[in-house]
Amino acid sequence: MADKKVALITGANKGIGKEIARQLGVQGFTVLIGARDAGRGAEAVADLTKDGIEAQAIQLEVTDQASIEAAVVKVEADYGKLDVLVNNAGVYFESGAASETDIETFKKTYDTNVFGVFAMIRAFLPLVKKAEVGRIVNMSSGLGSITQNSDPNWAFAAAKPVAYNSSKSAVNAITVIFAAELKNTPIKVNAADPGYVATDLNGNSGYRTVEQGATAAVRLATLPADGPTGGYFDEDGAIPW
Ligand SMILES: NC(=O)c1ccc[n+]([C@@H]2O[C@H](COP(=O)([O-])OP(=O)(O)OC[C@H]3O[C@@H](n4cnc5c(N)ncnc54)[C@H](OP(=O)(O)O)[C@@H]3O)[C@@H](O)[C@H]2O)c1
């Protein structure tokens, strides 16, 4: 067990997170299915286990520090390390223009998408440091790219939910800053853009599958020692900040 690589994915009971877990599980990782609802986590584990994947549910509400700390204690006790952390849990609440967005929506979005990512990295970093090669992947979005948001001809130029887009820009900044702090360690910290994927987050309006959406994150979770850190990638390579 100790020799097996362990990956924790937040928000892994469904959507892209569950598929990231599946793909890492197929590669031989023990996957810890972060789920804020224990029942939904157990269902995902049952499903993945049927496919021969070694999966375990772990209760994780990323806006709740007590939940995060309990998860750290559990991973430490069960595995003593964490090889891969995928900060995938994310929310999208908006409709309407930036000027019509209320502050509570903004705060709720940041609670999960920004503060949740920071809290998870901060809490799990000691366990990631205990792994031989640690990998941290932050699920961003192309909508977090300030360069793309500034381009009126960009394919998604009309998509300007201010809380969501800026929350993912913040995720990008957090990625660069932790990568810089960890540059003299084997740990790599990168941001992934899954593309526009059909999931509950967007009422299944995306045109990409979860299999396609998981690809970039899985690649970043399994980067070789000479791979990049502090970058922002979709499945085709680097994308502009
Ligand atoms: N779908 C897209 O087109 C797209 C594009 C770009 C980026 N992304 C990003 O990809 C990630 C996954 O999204 P998805 O499309 O797979 O959405 P999804 O199907 O709605 O899944 C989101 C997951 O995050 C969990 N979650 C939400 N808030 C949480 C919290 N506070 N604590 C713990 N878990 C929480 C959800 O749990 P519950 O089941 O309990 O709600 C669910 O497991 C998100 O970060 C999203 O922003 C998605």
Side-chain angles (χ1 to χ4, degrees):
M1 177 81 87
D3 289 347
K4 252 189 114 162
K5 286 194 174 175
V6 182
L8 168 59
I9 304 101
T10 63
N13 55 285
K14 67 177 184 180
I16 300 167
K18 184 179 174 193
E19 180 58 26
I20 293 169
R22 183 189 304 280
Q23 293 185 16
L24 290 175
V26 166
Q27 291 195 31
F29 280 83
T30 298
V31 287
L32 307 183
I33 306 301
R36 52 185 167 179
D37 178 271
R40 289 198 284 272
E43 273 174 36
V45 165
D47 197 26
L48 293 168
T49 306
K50 268 192 283 174
D51 294 346
I53 288 163
E54 195 176 310
Q56 187 189 352
I58 186 156
Q59 199 280 333
L60 249 174
E61 163 58 66
V62 303
T63 64
D64 177 358
Q65 192 60 30
S67 167
I68 293 175
E69 282 168 17
V72 170
V73 168
K74 186 162 172 47
V75 175
E76 166 107 70
D78 290 355
Y79 304 100
K81 61 156 187 179
L82 183 64
D83 298 276
V84 168
L85 170 63
V86 183
N87 288 308
N88 167 78
V91 291
Y92 177 100
F93 296 120
E94 293 159 272
S95 57
S99 58
E100 290 157 12
T101 302
D102 63 90
I103 189 76
E104 285 314 315
T105 301
F106 220 100
K107 286 181 179 170
K108 255 185 4 185
T109 303
Y110 272 56
D111 275 345
T112 294
N113 292 9
V114 181
F115 308 143
V117 170
F118 172 72
M120 283 293 299
I121 296 175
R122 196 163 181 275
F124 276 95
L125 196 52
L127 284 178
V128 176
K129 285 182 173 168
K130 287 187 181 164
E132 211 173 301
V133 287
R135 301 286 178 262
I136 298 174
V137 182
N138 296 326
M139 196 50 102
S140 182
S141 164
L143 296 180
S145 164
I146 294 175
T147 304
Q148 293 181 152
N149 271 283
S150 310
D151 176 1
N153 298 316
W154 180 41
F156 295 98
K160 293 275 191 292
V162 64
Y164 183 82
N165 288 14
S166 66
S167 76
K168 295 301 187 179
S169 306
V171 167
N172 290 348
I174 289 168
T175 302
V176 169
I177 289 165
F178 271 105
E181 178 177 333
L182 296 166
K183 68 177 189 299
N184 295 323
T185 76
I187 300 172
K188 297 184 187 303
V189 190
N190 288 290
D193 167 20
Y196 189 25
V197 179
T199 66
D200 289 347
L201 187 95
N202 50 35
N204 288 287
S205 61
Y207 50 75
R208 285 163 60 78
T209 64
V210 287
E211 287 81 3
Q212 293 171 314
T215 310
V218 169
R219 187 178 303 149
L220 295 173
T222 54
L223 282 172
D226 61 353
T229 188
Y232 180 29
F233 301 92
D234 68 13
E235 68 183 5
D236 296 323
I239 61 172
W241 294 108

